[in-house]
Amino acid sequence: MKIGSDPKWCKEAAIKAESCGVALARSNHVGSQLETVSGTRNFLNTVNHHNFGLLYDCMHLAISREDYLNCIPEFFKFTKNILIQSRRRICVAGNSEEWVPALPNEDGVQDWQNVFKRFRKQGYDGLIIVIENSWPADHREEVALLLDPE
């Protein structure tokens, strides 16, 4: 179950949820304590409970300009599932940048094949959840084939 709060509350919730057979996790997200690799590391190490994990979301790490690939071996042991949503950076007026939804095979999106390869190398065989980001319905099969880890 996805939750969010401070590490102390998350640890207490993880202890209580375990008695009900429910695992808890939190996702990487811009504007949260888990928007960076170091923030994610600190949060997970502070919670420090086997019933609490990570919903790995490299899109949010990429938006924060974080190295979302090299942290995979470290975060693997915490990862409860991988969230797939693609965005790419575009330049807008005044030299500012904006992140816009994109199909996973468009230029400038996250490196999905290497995300999967690195998780597989660690032995990951868990869930992968695709967040469609308003992709056209006629692209669903194409997206599924692009993201096929095998």
Side-chain angles (χ1 to χ4, degrees):
M1 176 183 293
K2 180 180 177 179
I3 65 166
S5 189
D6 63 85
K8 182 180 180 209
W9 187 90
C10 287
K11 183 171 189 165
E12 291 170 9
I15 292 166
K16 290 179 182 177
E18 185 175 29
S19 67
C20 300
V22 176
L24 302 180
R26 185 155 179 206
S27 63
N28 301 104
H29 204 283
V30 170
S32 79
Q33 295 163 300
L34 284 76
E35 75 178 335
T36 65
V37 170
S38 64
T40 301
R41 175 185 304 116
N42 291 340
F43 194 92
L44 294 170
N45 288 334
T46 301
V47 173
N48 191 28
H49 193 274
H50 64 271
N51 196 45
F52 185 83
L54 176 65
L55 307 175
Y56 174 84
D57 188 334
C58 71
M59 184 199 76
H60 285 279
L61 291 172
I63 288 172
S64 296
R65 300 186 190 310
E66 292 289 307
D67 186 350
Y68 62 87
L69 290 172
N70 286 323
C71 67
I72 290 172
E74 177 184 357
F75 292 161
F76 163 74
K77 65 184 176 189
F78 299 105
T79 301
K80 301 295 183 190
N81 88 38
I82 300 169
L83 302 175
I84 305 297
Q85 52 182 326
S86 293
R87 289 191 178 257
R88 61 185 171 86
R89 185 178 296 132
I90 61 167
C91 292
V92 293
N95 290 331
S96 63
E97 297 177 336
E98 185 176 312
W99 285 81
V100 296
L103 289 166
N105 62 342
E106 290 183 38
D107 289 338
V109 300
Q110 294 71 55
D111 184 351
W112 296 114
Q113 294 307 314
N114 271 319
V115 167
F116 294 133
K117 284 178 187 174
R118 290 177 188 220
F119 269 105
R120 268 197 318 270
K121 184 177 180 180
Q122 299 299 315
Y124 185 80
D125 67 351
L127 294 172
I128 298 171
I129 294 177
V130 177
I131 301 170
E132 290 187 80
N133 282 333
S134 305
W135 297 328
D138 60 340
H139 286 281
R140 288 179 181 158
E141 185 175 344
E142 172 191 351
V143 169
L145 292 172
L146 286 169
L147 298 175
D148 181 5
E150 295 300 308

